[in-house]
Each structure stands twice: as structure tokens, then as C-alpha cells.
Amino acid sequence: MTAPTDLSKSQENEAPFGFDELFYSRTDKRGVIIAGNEVFHRVSGFDWSELLGAPHKIVRHPDTPRGVFRILWSALGAGHPMGAYVKNRVRNGDIYWVFAVLMPVDGGYLSVRLKPSTQLFDRFREVYTKLSTRERAERLDPEVSAGELRALALAEGFSSYTSYMAFALGQELAARDARLGRPADPRTQRLIDMNKSLERVTQEQTKLLRSFEALQSIPNNMRIVASRLEPSGGPVSAISENYKASSLVISERLRSFVAGRDNLCDRVSRQAARALFLLGSNRVLKEMNAGFRDVAAVEGIDWNVERNLLRELEARSYADTRDAMMRAVGHAEELFRASAEIRRLMLGLDTIRVLGRVECGRMRDSSGGLSATIDQLDIFHADIKNRLESIMRLSEEIGSSMNQFMRADSR
């Protein structure tokens, strides 16, 4: 077996790989190659005798950060599909980039790959270059590297890396359709639209929590101002204490669905992201199966077994998509109810806030301290209510879109 001779970027050549082509490979649980299609065989540049029984890293390029594979193995080990941009190498030293959709199958894993072409792909190439360089220079542990990639997903406004990859898959499928002169696929567009709603829920969740945390300091400020304006136990002090007690109740409710591990917003995001990624995966598998062709016999591969396995995987991914969507719909409905309850509790705070405004006018606060504090309450109350209404609207959009998809797809 001949190792690639030169991996330097200046010497790299792209191996021929068309946008109309999809290829797959299948491994056992250790990552040893069991089978693949003819496109995989051709693009890799290896003979079948060199591929079968070899570890899949035979085609791995060192410019793909090890953290990527840590994320992939973690998801697959938990029984979940996952996607990734991957830079691979050919036997002769050439390279090829893919967007890989990886899924667990009986006895191992299967990966279907397509040719990427979006601006997001360009972004990931830059990220990979920097991260793989750091891995080598700083000897980063793969888990640390994986953490950098997960942090990137959060920084880009996604609830999870799965959600980021569902978005990437939708973008790549839409770009591929355009390059092949195909009409826009409604399932892919639905995937993209739902992911946008999911991303906005995550953004609103973060902003809502920040606004409410900032609100917590205001009752203390009101009490300090009151101590300068009235005797101990006066009306403003009582208003500030009532406000603090009521806001603490709301804070606990709020944290249960926007903060902490496995909160309600995260459950909606996680199930919706899984459903969206499965939706894209199902489309890739469907096309993979439609284009499956009999080829020359290869010792060690039974093409009938491969064809049946791919069909079974397509059917299973479809069933898993619907299951994840139904779970996401249930969580979205629960999120809507929780948001509505918080909004109702905020009306009680509004009453206390108005009393504070009345008392401010009665006392004719010449220093402006109490008036300024009430002004802050006005701002934060309006912001929090707007965030809650946005989350309610978005949770309705997610639930409605997924319900519409399931109804339309069952006809």
C-alpha cells in the first residue's frame, strides 16, 4: 500500500467527484470498512482489496480536525445520526471534500457523502485549517477540539451542533439542486425554514434570560432609593418587597424552561434539530437508493445485501423523522403553554410596577432616582413580554410546520 506522497496545500489536487454523484461506505463498529459503492472505490483511488478490511482512516486527511471525529463517534455511539464536512485523501495524495451524513446500522455505521459548495463550506474550511493546526501545535485533546466546534455552533446562534449540521445539510442540498438545474425541493426548503425558526428560538431564549437576570437588581435599587425618600417600612419599600417576591416566583418558572441542563427550550431544539437532520438524511438515502446500480462482482461484497440494507435504512430514517417530529411538536406545545403562563405572571408584576409609578408621582421624587428605576422596569418588562411572545410565536411555527409536513407526507 502506497502512502500519499505530499499533503502540503500547495501541491494538493482535487480528485474528480461530481455534484450528481453520491457515494457511501459501511464499516463495522471499530470503523473497519465492510462495503461501499463504486463511486467510493473510484474516488478513493484504492483497490477494493486495499479498502475492504482496512480502517476507514485510510482515506482520512490530517487537515480534518480530530475533534470532528470525536463528535461523530459520540453521536453514533448514542444511536444518533450526525453530519460533518470532511476532507479526505486519495491514494495518490490528491484530496476531496465531502459533506458526510453518518448513521448507525446493525453491526456498525454507514456514511453517505455529497459534494459541498456553499459559503458555509468555505467557512468550515477556514475553521478546520486553524483548528487542525492548533491540534498539532498545541497537542489538543480531541475532546477539547470538539468543544471548540460545539462552541462555534453556539456562537453562530444554534442550539446544538446537530442543529448546525442540519442547517448545513439543508444548505448543501439546496445548492446541489441549483447546480444540477433541479427545481427547489420543498422538503429541503422546509428543512431550511424550520431550522431558521429553531435558531431564532435559541436567540430569543438567550436574550430573555439576560433581560430577566438584569431585572433582578432593580428591586434592590428601588429599596435603596426608598430609604432616602421615606421612613423605614414606607409604601415604596413595601412595593419593592412585593415586586422582589413576585419576580422570584417568575424567575424560578423561567429558569425551568430556558436555563439549566435539559430545559424545555433545549428539549424542543434537540428534538427539532434531530428531526430536521433526519429529514435531510432521508432525502439523501432516497436518492442514493434510486441511483443504486449493479456493478461488477467484488469479492467480499454482496450487492443484494447492500441494496436491501440501504432501503431498510431509508425506511427507518423516515420513521425516525416522524417520531422525532412528533416529540418536537409535543415539546413545542409545552413550551408555548409555559411561555403563556410566564406572560400571565408578568401581568402581576405590571400591577406592582404601575403602583410604583403612582407612588413616584405622589412623592414627587425630586432626585429622579425612583423615577429612573421605574423607567428601567418599564423597559425590561416590555422586552421580556416581547421575548415571550416571540418564543410563543416561534414554538407555534415549529409545531405547525412539522404537523403540516407529517400530514402532507402521509397522503
Side-chain angles (χ1 to χ4, degrees):
M1 187 181 301
T2 305
T5 55
D6 191 349
L7 298 176
S8 65
K9 190 170 183 178
S10 61
Q11 300 298 317
E12 287 179 341
N13 294 308
E14 286 268 357
F17 173 28
F19 284 102
D20 61 327
E21 295 183 299
L22 292 174
F23 65 89
Y24 86 97
S25 57
R26 185 163 65 91
T27 72
D28 64 15
K29 288 188 177 295
R30 298 172 300 153
V32 173
I33 298 171
I34 297 172
N37 65 352
E38 184 55 35
V39 182
F40 172 57
H41 173 224
R42 189 199 80 224
V43 175
S44 74
F46 289 94
D47 293 334
W48 277 120
S49 60
E50 295 173 301
L51 288 171
L52 299 180
H56 207 278
K57 65 183 179 181
I58 191 175
V59 297
R60 184 186 300 182
H61 195 288
D63 283 355
T64 302
R66 292 184 301 159
V68 173
F69 299 104
R70 178 59 62 91
I71 290 174
L72 292 174
W73 282 111
S74 176
L76 292 170
H80 301 309
M82 182 54 78
Y85 290 101
V86 179
K87 182 179 183 180
N88 284 332
R89 63 184 181 185
V90 182
R91 190 178 192 277
N92 66 2
D94 291 347
I95 62 101
Y96 58 99
W97 280 93
V98 299
F99 186 87
V101 176
L102 294 96
M103 292 156 281
V105 295
D106 290 343
Y109 311 103
L110 185 140
S111 171
V112 180
R113 277 93 91 191
L114 56 89
K115 190 177 182 71
S117 63
T118 62
Q119 290 183 342
L120 185 61
F121 167 47
D122 294 334
R123 166 95 168 104
F124 266 84
R125 283 196 291 189
E126 293 176 3
V127 169
Y128 281 14
T129 297
K130 293 176 182 177
L131 190 54
S132 60
T133 300
R134 283 188 57 205
E135 282 185 344
R136 289 189 286 268
E138 302 173 27
R139 297 186 178 182
L140 287 184
D141 184 274
E143 189 55 43
V144 174
S145 179
E148 298 269 349
L149 291 168
R150 294 186 180 104
L152 173 66
L154 298 178
E156 296 287 337
F158 293 90
S159 60
S160 65
Y161 203 75
T162 301
S163 180
Y164 203 4
M165 290 301 99
F167 172 76
L169 178 54
Q171 294 290 315
E172 294 300 343
L173 287 171
R176 183 168 175 267
D177 286 338
R179 283 182 174 271
L180 295 174
R182 297 173 176 173
D185 177 67
R187 284 165 56 100
T188 300
Q189 189 56 51
R190 192 173 289 115
L191 189 163
I192 294 170
D193 291 342
M194 283 192 284
N195 216 303
K196 288 178 181 176
S197 295
L198 195 61
E199 182 182 352
R200 283 158 56 203
V201 167
T202 301
Q203 293 168 352
E204 291 296 338
Q205 171 190 354
T206 302
K207 293 173 182 176
L208 175 61
L209 197 57
R210 286 174 183 167
S211 291
F212 209 86
E213 286 176 345
L215 186 68
Q216 301 307 297
S217 64
I218 294 180
N220 291 332
N221 295 339
M222 192 184 301
R223 192 167 58 252
I224 291 170
V225 171
S227 68
R228 298 200 302 265
L229 298 175
E230 63 182 10
S232 176
V236 176
S237 298
I239 288 170
S240 68
E241 289 300 326
N242 287 337
Y243 189 95
K244 182 177 181 180
S246 297
S247 66
L248 285 174
V249 172
I250 296 176
S251 180
E252 288 304 310
R253 298 286 183 87
L254 186 65
R255 287 182 180 280
S256 71
F257 80 95
V258 299
R261 187 176 179 84
D262 200 36
N263 65 71
L264 183 52
C265 278
D266 281 351
R267 292 201 296 275
V268 173
S269 297
R270 186 164 57 248
Q271 283 297 335
R274 183 167 182 264
L276 295 178
F277 190 81
L278 281 163
L279 179 62
S281 302
N282 182 256
R283 186 194 158 185
V284 172
L285 282 166
K286 191 172 184 178
E287 186 174 338
M288 180 86 234
N289 286 330
F292 195 94
R293 297 287 181 268
D294 287 331
V295 293
V298 175
E299 186 178 353
I301 300 179
D302 185 328
W303 295 117
N304 285 327
V305 169
E306 297 305 310
R307 182 184 294 105
N308 290 334
L309 186 147
L310 286 165
R311 287 174 179 167
E312 289 170 5
L313 189 56
E314 179 189 344
R316 192 180 77 197
S317 70
Y318 176 78
D320 288 347
T321 299
R322 293 183 67 84
D323 179 69
M325 282 190 172
M326 286 190 287
R327 290 173 183 271
V329 167
H331 290 321
E333 290 172 349
E334 189 180 352
L335 178 60
F336 180 90
R337 291 192 296 270
S339 300
E341 181 190 6
I342 297 294
R343 190 177 63 172
R344 180 180 59 77
L345 291 172
M346 285 296 296
L347 293 176
L349 276 189
D350 277 341
T351 300
I352 300 172
R353 175 178 59 85
V354 170
L355 289 175
R357 177 68 71 188
V358 170
E359 192 64 28
C360 178
R362 187 189 67 78
M363 296 180 69
R364 296 177 182 177
D365 173 24
S366 58
S367 68
L370 182 57
S371 178
T373 301
I374 301 297
D375 287 344
Q376 284 184 303
L377 286 179
D378 291 345
I379 293 170
F380 282 119
H381 276 226
D383 183 69
I384 288 169
K385 283 187 285 187
N386 286 338
R387 301 291 176 203
L388 286 168
E389 288 170 5
S390 180
I391 288 176
M392 289 169 67
R393 186 177 64 255
L394 291 167
S395 60
E396 274 193 313
E397 284 180 14
I398 292 170
S400 176
S401 295
M402 291 192 172
N403 272 322
Q404 287 175 15
F405 168 82
M406 288 188 287
R407 284 195 296 269
D409 214 44
S410 61
R411 292 172 187 166

